[in-house]
Amino acid sequence: MDTPAVPLPQDAREQAVLDSLVVIRDKLLLLKQDRTTYIRSQDVIPLYDETISRVKELDEIRTETGNKEENRLDKVLESCFQLLSLFYLTIGRNNELPANYALTSTIKRLLDHLTEADLYSAKDLESIQTTLTNLSNSIKQAESREHKAENSPYLLKLLSNRVTKCLATLENLQKRLGRIGEPLLPTHEKLISILRSISLANTKAKFSSAEVQKLQKQLLDIGEKRKDGQFVDENGNVPQGSVELGELYQRCLKWSEMVLERKGSMPEQFRPTYETLVGIRNELEKLSLTQAWALRETDLYDFQRQLDKIDESRQNGNFYDDRGRPADLYTQRTMLYLIRRSYAYIYSFILASEPVSEALLPVYNQLQTLKRCLLEVRNSGGVSSVRELYPYSMKLNSLDNLRVDGKFVVNGDIPEGQGSVSELLAECFDLTYDLRVAAEEATASNSDGQ
């Protein structure tokens, strides 16, 4: 596992902690790669406890020495927490404190990129605002007296600091967005949307000039609604933010022209990085279509590491080739778009992670599909006879029969997420019962009518 070029610890005791953490990280990586069996709580919790013990040691050493310099130990510790966090999601312990670490890492990246690009809409901030509020509440709850004993003070402090920093960045972004007056916000959101669509078209395997020209026409249509070069409201007044919106409009227009000129061609020296980024984006896009069935949360670690490495290789925001030459504006923007898009996918995957162990996911996913089908049947008028419900009832009973003493058991274990799966099963039974009653009543009233 390549760790960034960060110095080794000077203190011999810190070096011993580092050696222990490297062993833990390697165990976690081996566990992540093993596809022959489901990951169980008992595989993960001891490694988490061991990490927390090493952290306590480290805290004592640094309190004594007063060392605040970051070294390789901090990087390896970060990897351990990142992996453990994704493992907690994989085993369905989403509501426990360690599960939040990976989410805070991704949110920080997204917010830093939004700040740097200054291209975002209110919609982009809404989801992050909700997530950070939820994280903040979880941390406050974990800090409360009844939960304090079961949580590491180090992890609590670390997450609390991360969330506080993210909230401060978010507040700055919201203030910056406040420059745009209310009447102009829909136009602002539309421009951001077109800009992203152009960037998407620019990174497709087969470049389509027609697609970009169509988007460019949408931009020009927006531009034509200006009066004397200014964006106005429906009464013809110039609201606050008209100048900022005009600048954004020009940026979008220039970008569309640049993309049409370059047609997706990337300078040779940046092609390997570009292809890596396109590969990551495409893999994540594929996963977004089959996420419930194909994604193991720990898989996200490798994508994160690759993205972090490329993102951190930038100097003053730009990419440099082997000979120290900076990328031109087109190359820089194209690669940054791919990095941001990939982080956004990772964020959505972590948010969508269900509090169910991967051992129970096959049953959970089947019940989710069954529930969707039953809702569809109900919303389209129900069934004309009870017979039509047989396939659903048979599937439901076959899943219910997997339970032993009311619990779903997998290879002798009782995985996390029993409550979520049982609740979903009960919902499906309720839906089939309601449909059956409605069908029986309809059949009875038809018989009476005849």
Side-chain angles (χ1 to χ4, degrees), residues 27-178:
K27 282 180 184 173
L28 288 165
L29 288 169
L30 282 171
L31 189 58
K32 177 180 85 67
Q33 283 153 13
D34 184 5
R35 290 284 187 179
T36 58
T37 180
Y38 293 121
I39 293 168
R40 306 168 307 160
S41 291
Q42 55 263 47
D43 300 324
V44 178
I45 309 301
L47 291 169
Y48 171 72
D49 292 340
E50 220 179 304
T51 305
I52 293 302
S53 298
R54 299 289 83 80
V55 164
K56 278 182 189 162
E57 270 180 58
L58 179 62
D59 251 9
E60 285 163 17
I61 295 164
R62 288 191 173 171
T63 304
E64 194 186 306
T65 61
N67 175 33
K68 288 192 173 75
E69 289 294 307
E70 234 194 41
N71 58 47
R72 198 169 303 174
L73 168 51
D74 299 275
K75 289 288 178 188
V76 174
L77 182 58
E78 192 185 314
S79 293
C80 289
F81 274 132
Q82 194 77 9
L83 278 161
L84 284 162
S85 179
L86 295 169
F87 270 113
Y88 264 70
L89 294 174
T90 307
I91 58 176
R93 298 175 84 124
N94 302 38
N95 302 321
E96 293 181 32
L97 206 61
N100 296 325
Y101 188 91
L103 188 54
T104 58
S105 301
T106 309
I107 290 174
K108 187 182 180 305
R109 292 272 175 190
L110 283 172
L111 289 171
D112 287 347
H113 276 286
L114 291 178
T115 304
E116 179 187 24
D118 197 13
L119 292 168
Y120 56 92
S121 67
K123 253 188 201 162
D124 294 325
L125 303 184
E126 277 166 25
S127 167
I128 294 178
Q129 168 85 69
T130 307
T131 307
L132 284 172
T133 304
N134 293 341
L135 281 171
S136 213
N137 293 337
S138 298
I139 290 164
K140 280 183 191 134
Q141 194 186 354
E143 284 171 338
S144 68
R145 200 169 296 143
E146 72 255 38
H147 293 288
K148 212 160 190 173
E150 64 200 55
N151 289 301
S152 150
Y154 174 86
L155 188 60
L156 260 173
K157 191 179 165 193
L158 182 67
L159 286 172
S160 182
N161 289 345
R162 280 173 157 232
V163 170
T164 304
K165 279 180 188 165
C166 286
L167 282 166
T169 310
L170 179 70
E171 200 181 321
N172 284 335
L173 287 166
Q174 285 166 332
K175 271 186 201 155
R176 274 158 71 171
L177 203 58

Side-chain angles (χ1 to χ4, degrees), residues 421-432:
V421 181
S422 297
E423 196 181 308
L424 199 48
L425 185 68
E427 280 178 46
C428 290
F429 270 123
D430 288 346
L431 281 165
T432 47

Side-chain angles (χ1 to χ4, degrees), residues 191-208:
L191 286 173
I192 296 286
S193 170
I194 294 170
L195 183 77
R196 287 178 183 163
S197 299
I198 292 169
S199 295
L200 172 61
N202 179 43
T203 53
K204 284 183 178 173
K206 200 166 189 295
F207 183 84
S208 163

Side-chain angles (χ1 to χ4, degrees), residues 334-350:
T334 301
M335 297 212 286
L336 281 176
Y337 163 76
L338 289 166
I339 289 176
R340 287 168 193 151
R341 189 76 201 96
S342 298
Y343 278 130
Y345 272 126
I346 290 170
Y347 170 72
S348 66
F349 290 149
I350 294 175

Side-chain angles (χ1 to χ4, degrees), residues 288-314:
S288 72
L289 304 173
T290 59
Q291 181 193 352
W293 303 92
L295 179 74
R296 184 190 246 190
E297 284 84 354
T298 49
D299 295 341
L300 297 174
Y301 179 77
D302 294 331
F303 293 119
Q304 281 177 322
R305 287 291 292 185
Q306 280 180 287
L307 288 168
D308 292 354
K309 195 176 170 190
I310 294 170
D311 200 17
E312 286 163 16
S313 72
R314 296 190 290 143

